[in-house]
Amino acid sequence: MSKQSDIIRELQERQKELQERQKELQDRVNAAEAICQDLLSHLYNSEAQGRIKFDDYRIKYTQEAIERREAEARAKQLRDSFNTAKADFRDMAEANFWTLVFLNDKERQEKLDDIWSTITSGLVLPEDTKRPQHTVPKLTVDQLINRRAELLDSINKANATQYNDTIEHCNQSKADFALSMERERDKQVAEINRKDGLSESERQRQVSETQAYFEREIKRHLLEMNRQISSAEVGLKRLEDNKAELAKVQQALAKQLTH
């Protein structure tokens, strides 16, 4: 029983402390409000105007008002993100016109889904956001004729033999250069190891610097060769894509001209 009495007494003491802290906090709030009202009254040269402005601030900065403004700002941010995504989607879909136009409806919708997914990846959008609809207009004879001319021009300017030669040369150069540099590295390291009058630390320093130099040069050459290979491969892929599209354009043009 004594233990229960101690617990009750302790709870009562804590409640009393909380009430005192609450009173102290209220006193500070009252003082802050009085100071604000005095400052506003002085600013507006009117106690009544000061009170009106103070009440405006108090209404504006209630927790409910703050939460409402934050929700509105969040909603605007989501709307802005969605509008930007829609504009980017439209631009990318239009840029892929010649890909989309030759697909069947199912393939076209899948391609549009991929475009939308790419654009919205990492974005925060409103819930239940759906991909915008996009209609691909039907081809006209003039469009097909102009596109055929563009593709033929691009195909004629491309040089598949040069692309393939570049790839072959760069692959061979990577192996030849690395072998040559490794031989030269080993030769210079051997010369350093045969030098007289070098401390062990100095010998190791020179060896490390020599090895690091040749490693950098091999890596630099490798990166450059890979860059040229990648560029040539892109050129070949573009040439193949243009030829494949040209066949579709010519087929569509023939179909329109015979109807």
Side-chain angles (χ1 to χ4, degrees):
M1 191 70 178
S2 175
K3 185 176 181 180
Q4 185 177 3
S5 299
D6 291 342
I7 294 174
I8 293 174
R9 185 168 56 254
E10 184 179 351
L11 290 173
Q12 290 174 338
E13 289 176 355
R14 289 186 179 180
Q15 184 177 11
K16 184 178 179 181
E17 289 177 3
L18 288 174
Q19 289 174 343
E20 289 176 353
R21 290 181 182 177
Q22 185 177 7
K23 182 177 179 300
E24 181 182 351
L25 180 60
Q26 186 60 51
D27 289 342
R28 292 185 178 182
V29 171
N30 292 339
E33 288 186 356
I35 292 172
C36 289
Q37 290 186 52
D38 286 344
L39 289 173
L40 289 169
S41 296
H42 177 73
L43 179 63
Y44 290 98
N45 294 319
S46 169
E47 184 176 344
Q49 288 298 320
R51 163 60 69 177
I52 292 171
K53 194 65 178 177
F54 178 81
D55 289 342
D56 287 345
Y57 280 124
R58 184 159 54 185
I59 293 171
K60 184 178 181 181
Y61 288 98
T62 60
Q63 186 60 33
E64 181 181 353
I66 291 172
E67 291 175 356
R68 184 173 62 252
R69 287 197 298 275
E70 289 177 347
E72 291 172 352
R74 175 69 172 169
K76 182 180 183 302
Q77 182 181 14
L78 292 175
R79 288 195 303 272
D80 290 345
S81 294
F82 181 51
N83 289 335
T84 299
K86 286 196 299 183
D88 291 344
F89 171 75
R90 183 186 63 248
D91 292 343
M92 188 172 290
E94 291 176 353
N96 280 268
F97 171 79
W98 288 103
T99 297
L100 294 168
V101 75
F102 291 118
L103 300 177
N104 61 43
D105 188 63
K106 182 176 181 295
E107 293 171 335
R108 185 175 300 138
Q109 296 309 314
E110 290 176 351
K111 178 64 175 178
L112 291 171
D113 286 341
D114 289 341
I115 293 173
W116 179 247
S117 178
T118 299
I119 289 172
T120 58
S121 176
L123 293 180
V124 179
L125 300 174
E127 292 184 8
D128 301 325
T129 295
K130 296 181 179 179
R131 171 177 64 78
Q133 294 298 315
H134 181 77
T135 301
V136 179
K138 292 184 178 180
L139 288 168
T140 66
V141 171
D142 286 343
Q143 283 179 312
L144 289 166
I145 291 174
N146 291 334
R147 185 59 176 172
R148 181 179 63 179
E150 292 173 1
L151 291 169
L152 286 172
D153 182 63
S154 179
I155 290 170
N156 291 332
K157 288 180 179 178
N159 190 328
T161 300
Q162 183 178 355
Y163 292 145
N164 288 315
D165 287 348
T166 296
I167 293 172
E168 182 180 356
H169 166 77
C170 290
N171 280 323
Q172 186 63 48
S173 180
K174 286 193 294 184
D176 292 346
F177 185 83
L179 181 61
S180 173
M181 294 297 279
E182 287 167 358
R183 287 174 176 170
E184 181 62 24
R185 176 200 62 197
D186 294 343
K187 175 183 175 182
Q188 292 189 21
V189 168
E191 290 176 355
I192 294 171
N193 287 328
R194 287 195 299 269
K195 284 183 180 179
D196 296 328
L198 290 179
S199 65
E200 186 59 27
S201 61
E202 175 62 18
R203 192 184 309 279
Q204 288 299 321
R205 186 189 67 79
Q206 291 187 18
V207 168
S208 296
E209 289 182 352
T210 299
Q211 290 175 332
Y213 165 77
F214 281 97
E215 183 179 349
R216 286 195 303 271
E217 289 301 302
I218 291 172
K219 184 176 181 180
R220 181 191 62 77
H221 184 77
L222 179 65
L223 290 173
E224 174 59 23
M225 293 300 98
N226 285 340
R227 185 194 65 78
Q228 292 186 31
I229 289 171
S230 177
S231 177
E233 289 175 341
V234 169
L236 282 174
K237 179 64 167 58
R238 183 169 55 247
L239 178 59
E240 292 172 1
D241 290 344
N242 286 342
K243 287 181 177 179
E245 185 181 333
L246 178 61
K248 295 176 182 178
V249 167
Q250 290 178 326
Q251 183 179 7
L253 183 58
K255 184 177 180 179
Q256 289 217 25
L257 291 176
T258 55
H259 282 77

